[in-house]
Structure formats: structure tokens, C-alpha cells
């Protein structure tokens, strides 16, 4: 039996007439077959041992590094990532695989004394089997890698379903990774909702990054099967600026977090909360910084903000600022690309979408706050809780803000964007479901803990 054939089409957001890749979607039955092949390959992959897995992951890192220029150019073409950011993502991807190449040698458990009598009590972490990964288009190499590398290091096999918009990047990544791994251990299947649903229905452990609506559906489906699941979803991130902050530095950081990659990051800044006397100087500095953002062809190394991923994404951004007071907006190029200017808006009415939902574009609302406590309440008032940046030279204020903020990540005097792959990544409330990913937290997520009792023969 076969599924009806549908096509996955990926277009260049700078020139939508440029079709990067068109391929048939494999369908649900193909996903189930891929999971079974992965399950058959997983046992040998685990039993080959730590040295073999470490060497294979290290070889992946070396191969990605060798293909770095090609991969960066592909990210520019397929997802409109500015070249400088694309190069940085590829470098980060190499570092991720190298980091997890050492993980097979990490302790897989601990030894404990029994409560009474001779013997040993052990804990041991073991892989689940097949990790089903569903990834977005905005980090087409880094996010699949920071999910796949720890899953593989722990002894799982992987089946990856990338976002349709990043299919070419995922297929090329698979070609590189598969050269270093046994057959069946790492599989990429293009597709959309049908393939994603099938993967959630078949995998032994599921990791998802994408929209809140889809993430909640994935979490419910996996939980109903009793399968471990993590879902990284939206963000409505705030930057808090106190009157004592270095306003020029804060404005530079915030402008980069609003406009970088056209705001298409879950960690982008979408609310700027100015405390007290910081409002007027911050508005002036931030408007100046946003107007100076280079918007244009992502293949130009000087570009900071390229196009939105598609027409729907651009319409969503332009609809969001319609009718609002916009003191600053950068100039966008003429041409066929889906561009939107990095924009700051003010006097946003309560209940407006910008204050309740992730727009995923280069737009942010400037909001006044009476004091730090008020700023923290504004920050916490939204459904999301991914990352908050706090800009101040007052250590006491920074620590006070840390205690009150309901977000998974807090960055002091730094942009909201940019995370360290060796530390846990994730948020609170609607931003995340399940355990954190990245770092050692990822190794724990992709393994289950066994408690083992070893008693000498003849004891009771």
C-alpha cells in the first residue's frame, strides 16, 4: 500500500521564482518503514561501543567543516539567512557535533551502597531506540544537529522530519552525516503534517521545535502513547532597560535582536520595556540603530536582515504594525523578495497581537514601565517565557530581576538572541514542554534511567 503523492517545494525567499528543491513527500507508510529500519540498525549502533560512536560523530564534524562554504551558501539561498549568520551557524554546527563526540565516554550512571547487606546498587542510562526529530527552517543545520548529535551519542538511531522550507538543507546534511554512520542510523524524510504525525506515532522518543499550536499537538500525541517528548515553541521576549544602563550598548543589542535574520528566531526581542527615565533616550538610540540596519540581499556579508521566509510571514508582520505609531523603520530593497523593514512601534493597545502572540518578524513594541517591579510584571504578563534580557549597571537590580522573571533564560547586558549549546535551552509556560535540550540535559532526555540491584548468590 502506498500513500497519495504530494510535492514538497522549497523556494528562495529572496527570489521566489527560484525553486531550490521539489520532491515528493514520502507519506505515512514510508515514515513507518524508516522507523523500523532505524530500529533494526540501532542495536548494532549501541553495541559498537563508545569509541565507535565517538569516532563517527567526530567524522561528521570534520565533514561538515569541510563543506562549510557550500552549506552556508545553501542556507542563504533556501531560507534567506544572511551570509555572516549562515557561516556562524555552520561553525556552530561543527562545534555541536564535536562536543557530543565526547559524550559517549561520559558516565552512564552511578554506583550506590545498598541499604543493608552485601551487593551493589547501580543506576544506568540507556537509549530509548529511535528518536523522532521534527525541526524548523530557521536554523536548518544547527537545530537538527543539536537534537540528533546527543541522541546518536547516547546510542539511539534518528529519523528527522525537517520543515518543508528547509528540505534541501536537511537532505544535504543527511548526505554528509550518513557517510560517517552505519546505514539506517540517521534518516531524513522530507514532508509536512502527514509525515510529522506519522513520526510522532512511531518513534520511541520525540523532540520538536516549531510553532506553539503544532508543538502542543505533538506533545499530546506523544504523551498519549507514553513516549518521552520535548517541544520547543514560541517566544514573546522582552528586553528590560533600566535608567542606569549603558543606553547606546543596550540599543545596539536590542536592535540586533529585533532585526537580525529579520526577527525569525524564537529568541528575538519583540517587546522593549523602558523603565522610568530610560524611555526617551532609549527610544532615540533604538530608532537610530534600527534605521541603520542593513536590509537586503542575504548573500551580501554586510546584510543583517534579509527577507521573510514567505509571503504569509511578510503579511503577518505588516498586518501587525498596521495602524500603530511607528517611530522607526528601516528601508527595504525593491525587488521580488519577501522583505519587511525592522520596525519599532509605540502606544500598542492592550490585547493587541504584538502583546500576546509571536509574530516572528523584525518588529518590536516599546513599552514604558514605572519601575523594575512594574517591568517584571509586564514581562511576565504574556503566555510565553523563553528568554529575557536585562540591561543595567546595577548588580542589585539585575539580581532582583532574576528572581522575579518567569523565563527559562535570562541574559544580563546581552542580546536576547544567542545561546550556548553546552547549556540547557528552553523556556517556561507556552514556550516549552518537557525537559530542556542541549548540553548534558539532552543526553538525559534521550535516555531512560534503570536502577539495578546486584546481590551475591546465596543472599536473601
Amino acid at each position: 500500500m502506498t500513500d497519495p503523492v504530494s510535492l514538497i517545494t522549497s523556494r528562495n525567499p529572496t527570489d521566489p521564482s527560484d525553486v531550490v528543491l521539489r520532491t515528493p513527500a514520502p507519506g505515512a507508510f514510508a515514515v513507518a518503514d524508516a522507523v523500523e529500519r532505524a530500529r533494526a540498525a540501532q542495536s548494532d549502533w549501541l553495541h559498537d561501543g563508545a569509541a565507535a560512536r565517538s569516532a563517527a560523530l567526530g567524522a561528521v564534524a570534520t565533514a561538515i567543516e569541510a563543506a562549510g562554504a557550500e552549506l552556508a551558501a545553501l542556507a542563504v539561498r533556501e531560507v534567506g539567512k544572511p551570509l555572516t549568520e549562515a557561516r556562524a551557524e555552520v561553525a556552530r554546527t561543527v562545534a555541536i557535533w564535536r562536543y557530543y563526540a565526547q559524550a559517549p565516554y561520559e558516565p552512564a550512571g552511578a554506583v550506590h551502597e545498598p541499604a543493608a547487606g552485601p551487593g551493589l546498587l547501580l543506576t544506568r542510562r540507556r537509549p530509548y531506540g529511535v528518536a523522532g526529530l521534527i525541526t524548523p527552517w530557521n536554523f536548518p543545520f544547527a537545530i537538527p544537529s543539536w537534537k540528533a548529535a546527543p541522541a546518536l551519542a547516547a546510542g539511539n538511531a534518528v529519523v528527522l522530519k525537517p520543515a518543508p522550507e528547509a528540505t534541501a538543507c536537511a537532505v544535504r546534511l543527511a548526505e554528509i552525516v550518513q557517510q560517517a554512520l552505519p546505514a539506517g542510523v540517521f534518516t531524513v524524510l522530507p514532508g509536512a503534517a502527514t509525515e510529522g504525525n506519522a513520526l510522532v506515532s512511531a518513534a520511541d522518543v520525540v523532540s520538536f521545535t516549531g510553532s506553539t499550536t503544532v508543538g502542543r499537538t505533538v506533545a499530546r500525541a506523544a504523551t498519549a502513547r507514553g513516549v518521552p517528548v520535548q517541544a520547543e515553541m514560541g517566544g514573546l521576549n522582552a528586553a528590560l532597560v533600566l535608567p542606569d544602563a549603558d543606553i547606546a550598548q543596550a540599543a545596539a543589542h536590542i536592535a540586533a535582536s529585533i532585526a537580525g535574520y529579520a526577527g525569525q528566531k524564537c529568541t528575538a526581542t519583540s517587546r522593549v520595556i523602558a523603565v522610568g527615565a530610560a524611555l526617551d533616550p532609549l527610544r532615540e538610540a533604538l530608532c537610530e540603530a534600527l534605521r541603520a540596519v542593513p536590509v537586503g540581499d542575504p548573500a551580501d556579508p554586510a546584510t543583517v536582515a534579509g527577507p521573510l521566509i514567505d509571503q504569509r510571514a511578510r503579511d503577518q508582520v505588516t498586518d501587525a504594525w498596521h495602524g500603530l505609531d511607528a517611530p522607526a523603520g528601516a528601508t527595504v530593497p525593491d525587488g521580488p523578495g519577501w522583505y519587511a523593514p525592522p520596525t519599532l512601534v509605540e502606544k500598542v493597545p492592550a490585547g493587541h497581537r504584538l502583546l500576546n502572540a509571536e509574530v516572528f518578524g523584525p518588529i518590536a513594541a516599546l513599552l514604558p514601565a514605572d519601575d523594575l517591579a512594574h517591568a517584571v510584571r509586564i514581562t511576565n504578563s504574556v503566555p510565553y517565557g523563553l528568554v529575557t534580557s536585562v540591561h543595567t549597571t546595577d548588580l542589585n537590580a539585575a539580581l532582583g530581576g532574576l528572581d522575579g522573571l518567569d523565563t527559562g533564560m535570562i541574559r544580563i547586558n546581552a542580546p536576547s538572541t544567542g545561546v550556548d549549546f553546552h547549556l540547557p535551552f528552553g523556556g517556561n509556560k507556552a514556550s516549552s514542554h518537557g525537559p530542556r535540550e542541549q548540553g548534558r540535559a539532552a543526553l538525559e532526555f534521550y535516555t531512560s534511567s534503570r536502577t539495578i540491584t546486584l546481590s551475591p548468590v546465596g543472599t536473601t
Side-chain angles (χ1 to χ4, degrees):
M1 182 180 295
T2 60
D3 295 303
V5 174
S6 60
L7 288 176
I8 299 298
T9 301
S10 172
R11 296 182 182 274
N12 180 346
T14 306
D15 178 7
S17 67
D18 175 21
V19 175
V20 181
L21 183 70
R22 182 176 283 126
T23 185
F29 294 107
V31 174
D33 288 345
V35 170
E36 286 307 308
R37 290 194 300 272
R39 191 167 285 121
Q42 184 266 332
S43 179
D44 286 343
W45 171 245
L46 174 64
H47 293 137
D48 282 346
R53 295 200 302 278
S54 176
L57 268 62
V60 170
T62 299
I64 292 173
E65 187 172 41
E70 172 205 347
L71 296 179
L74 183 57
V76 170
R77 182 184 175 205
E78 185 172 38
V79 299
K81 177 158 286 194
L83 180 58
T84 299
E85 280 208 40
R87 289 169 173 165
E89 180 182 346
V90 173
R92 181 181 182 186
T93 301
V94 172
I96 288 167
W97 285 95
R98 286 195 172 135
Y99 172 78
Y100 285 111
Q102 301 307 308
Y105 293 113
E106 290 289 316
V111 179
H112 302 263
E113 288 294 322
L120 294 174
L121 296 178
L122 310 177
T123 59
R124 191 182 189 196
R125 304 199 69 87
R126 307 303 289 161
Y128 285 105
V130 178
L133 313 180
I134 301 174
T135 56
W137 50 263
N138 58 337
F139 286 87
F141 301 119
I143 292 182
S145 294
W146 82 47
K147 293 180 186 293
L152 291 164
N156 296 280
V158 162
V159 177
L160 167 66
K161 203 294 290 181
E165 298 88 346
T167 299
C169 288
V171 169
R172 185 67 186 106
L173 178 65
E175 291 171 350
I176 293 171
V177 173
Q178 288 166 350
Q179 291 176 3
L181 302 181
V185 171
F186 182 87
T187 303
V188 167
L189 288 176
T194 295
E195 289 74 20
N197 291 336
L199 184 55
V200 174
S201 298
D204 302 311
V205 55
V206 175
S207 182
F208 167 89
T209 298
S211 72
T212 302
T213 301
V214 177
R216 286 172 171 168
T217 300
V218 167
R220 284 194 298 267
T223 301
R225 294 182 55 225
V227 169
V229 58
Q230 62 183 187
E232 291 300 330
M233 299 174 283
L236 193 55
N237 310 303
L240 279 59
V241 181
L242 278 64
D244 64 276
D246 182 327
I247 297 297
Q249 181 189 68
H253 286 167
I254 295 168
S257 296
I258 294 170
Y261 195 16
Q264 297 174 118
K265 304 175 185 179
C266 62
T267 54
T269 295
S270 51
R271 295 176 299 147
V272 183
I273 304 173
V275 177
L279 179 61
D280 289 340
L282 179 63
R283 179 195 296 111
E284 181 180 354
L286 189 51
C287 287
E288 182 179 352
L290 285 173
R291 292 189 190 105
V293 170
V295 182
D297 182 356
D300 184 343
T303 293
V304 170
L308 277 297
I309 190 65
D310 57 26
Q311 178 70 51
R312 179 177 172 274
R314 184 175 67 178
D315 290 347
Q316 183 170 275
V317 172
T318 55
D319 289 348
W321 76 56
H322 181 71
L324 296 176
D325 182 13
T331 301
V332 300
D334 294 328
W338 290 306
Y339 291 95
T343 302
L344 184 71
V345 296
E346 278 195 284
K347 301 175 183 176
V348 181
H352 192 280
R353 184 178 182 189
L354 284 172
L355 303 183
N356 292 284
E358 183 182 50
V359 173
F360 218 60
I363 181 171
L366 178 61
L367 307 170
D370 299 331
D371 51 29
L372 178 58
H374 186 203
V376 169
R377 289 197 301 274
I378 295 172
T379 301
N380 294 341
S381 66
V382 300
Y384 300 96
L386 184 57
V387 58
T388 302
S389 65
V390 180
H391 301 266
T392 180
T393 57
D394 184 344
L395 178 60
N396 290 334
L399 293 175
L402 289 174
D403 286 341
L405 292 168
D406 189 12
T407 52
M409 297 178 289
I410 300 169
R411 294 169 61 81
I412 307 298
N413 295 321
S416 63
T417 53
V419 295
D420 297 299
F421 60 81
H422 57 292
L423 293 177
F425 177 92
N428 299 335
K429 301 186 286 188
S431 289
S432 300
H433 173 93
R436 298 293 193 245
E437 57 182 350
Q438 300 198 94
R440 286 202 55 83
L443 297 171
E444 293 179 2
F445 171 70
Y446 290 112
T447 55
S448 64
S449 180
R450 317 282 176 84
T451 299
I452 303 167
T453 301
L454 291 178
S455 297
V457 174
T459 60
T460 59

